[in-house]
Amino acid sequence: MNIFEFQESDKSALYTISKKLADEHIEYLQTNLESSAKKCGIYVFLMDHFDNELNKMTIINTQSSSDDYTIDKWRSILKIHKGIYDLIGYLTLLQMDAMTTCISLFHTTTDTERIMLCKHSYTIIYEALEHNLFKKVAQDMHQYPEKLVAKEKIKKLWKSIKEDIKKITEKNEAKQVRNSIDAHKSASFMEQINTYKQCKWTQSIINLYLLIKIIENIQNSVEKINTNMKKLYDQYRIMMEEHIKQLDNIHKILQQPDKTFIASK
């Protein structure tokens, strides 16, 4: 008995994919994977930059002559911008995981390899559906100021995402695979074997492609939000110019002699 053998539906789908088409998919995924890896280097540099700037603000804030109002405003902007890059980086890593698994599923040459690799695709999907991807992203995006993104745009984005999610494997099915043969291992040999039989190669690839598409959709929106950071920086510059004028006026008033005091002398 060959336990690690595809169902007929998976075999039919596999036979319809030509080597040329598979190679094109692999090349597309590999190109995007390498591009994402390079982007991660940029994100690390930017995150370090924001951390350094925030540390400087903390040091300045401890000085008795510091202007707490302007420092707190500047710190809040830096934290928002850092959070945006943290989110972009998080999405990029998740997408890289999906792309790498998808490449492996295309590269395999036997049913056994394909079925053994399928299980990780279910874990990726489960983690995204259960708590990691959508909860984190939704929470982060709803905290952004209105100047960065309108609440209506966020609602429209998540409406589109929910439609795509409906095309992905049911969460309970993904959970069963994840908890029995991938992130966790069942103590029962037969339970593991029966779970492996549930793994579908075609559905795994469809799920991963959908996830890659969903993440790309979110990233495009977050990139637009990132572009809008200029509005916050411009607002801060205008506020600082006004604040400096007020401080200058106060300084001039303090330097002028009190005419009432002089007359009394």
Side-chain angles (χ1 to χ4, degrees):
M1 184 186 297
N2 191 351
I3 299 296
F4 296 98
E5 188 174 11
F6 269 146
Q7 300 172 14
E8 198 56 44
S9 58
D10 269 341
K11 283 186 177 179
S12 300
L14 182 61
Y15 294 149
T16 60
I17 298 176
S18 66
K19 185 178 184 306
K20 182 175 179 295
L21 183 60
D23 288 342
E24 287 175 358
H25 281 302
I26 292 169
E27 184 179 359
Y28 164 77
L29 290 167
Q30 286 176 328
T31 300
N32 280 277
L33 182 64
E34 291 305 313
S35 174
S36 296
K38 291 175 182 176
K39 287 178 182 177
C40 283
I42 297 171
Y43 303 149
V44 169
F45 173 82
L46 289 167
M47 293 290 283
D48 286 341
H49 164 73
F50 287 118
D51 280 337
N52 289 335
E53 289 300 310
L54 286 167
N55 287 336
K56 286 180 187 175
M57 293 303 103
T58 300
I59 293 169
I60 292 172
N61 212 18
T62 58
Q63 298 172 0
S64 58
S65 59
S66 65
D67 186 341
D68 292 345
Y69 175 75
T70 56
I71 289 172
D72 288 343
K73 289 285 185 183
W74 183 240
R75 184 189 284 114
S76 67
I77 293 173
L78 291 175
K79 284 182 177 179
I80 291 170
H81 210 169
K82 179 190 172 184
I84 289 174
Y85 276 110
D86 187 49
L87 179 57
I88 292 173
Y90 173 86
L91 290 169
T92 302
L93 287 177
L94 184 59
Q95 194 177 47
M96 287 173 71
D97 199 8
M99 287 189 288
T100 303
T101 305
C102 211
I103 290 167
S104 298
L105 288 172
F106 272 118
H107 262 312
T108 52
T109 56
T110 68
D111 283 2
T112 304
E113 287 178 310
R114 293 183 186 107
I115 291 171
M116 291 297 290
L117 282 168
C118 274
K119 62 183 180 180
H120 187 55
S121 71
Y122 286 88
T123 297
I124 294 171
I125 295 301
Y126 173 76
E127 294 296 332
L129 294 177
E130 176 59 17
H131 51 82
N132 273 350
L133 171 60
F134 304 118
K135 283 185 181 178
K136 173 180 170 56
V137 177
Q139 287 171 357
D140 287 355
M141 292 186 76
H142 278 96
Q143 290 175 2
Y144 294 143
E146 194 75 20
K147 277 187 174 294
L148 294 184
V149 59
K151 302 304 178 187
E152 284 303 313
K153 285 190 175 181
I154 296 177
K155 288 181 182 178
K156 187 177 178 182
L157 170 67
W158 287 104
K159 185 179 179 181
S160 169
I161 289 169
K162 286 176 182 177
E163 289 301 313
D164 287 332
I165 290 173
K166 291 177 184 177
K167 303 169 190 173
I168 293 179
T169 293
E170 286 291 326
K171 185 174 72 176
N172 287 338
E173 182 183 349
K175 180 180 180 179
Q176 169 66 19
V177 174
R178 172 193 180 271
N179 290 345
S180 299
I181 57 176
D182 194 47
H184 303 283
K185 302 287 185 185
S186 169
S188 167
F189 166 73
M190 287 307 298
E191 184 179 344
Q192 286 199 49
I193 289 297
N194 290 331
T195 305
Y196 273 114
K197 288 180 180 179
Q198 296 174 27
C199 294
K200 303 177 186 70
W201 180 75
T202 48
Q203 189 60 48
S204 293
I205 288 177
I206 290 169
N207 288 343
L208 292 173
Y209 261 98
L210 283 168
L211 182 60
I212 291 167
K213 177 191 171 187
I214 290 170
I215 294 172
E216 187 175 318
N217 191 11
I218 298 171
Q219 280 179 320
N220 289 337
S221 296
V222 178
E223 287 290 353
K224 290 177 183 176
I225 292 169
N226 189 35
T227 302
N228 285 338
M229 276 300 301
K230 184 178 183 299
K231 294 179 181 179
L232 288 189
Y233 286 117
D234 287 345
Q235 184 184 46
Y236 181 79
R237 177 180 55 79
I238 293 169
M239 182 273 290
M240 280 298 296
E241 287 174 353
E242 184 61 31
H243 189 62
I244 290 169
K245 284 180 184 177
Q246 291 175 0
L247 290 176
D248 283 343
N249 288 336
I250 293 170
H251 182 66
K252 287 176 183 176
I253 291 170
L254 290 173
Q255 284 186 323
Q256 290 176 357
D258 190 327
K259 292 179 181 179
T260 307
F261 176 76
I262 294 173
S264 67
K265 292 288 184 179

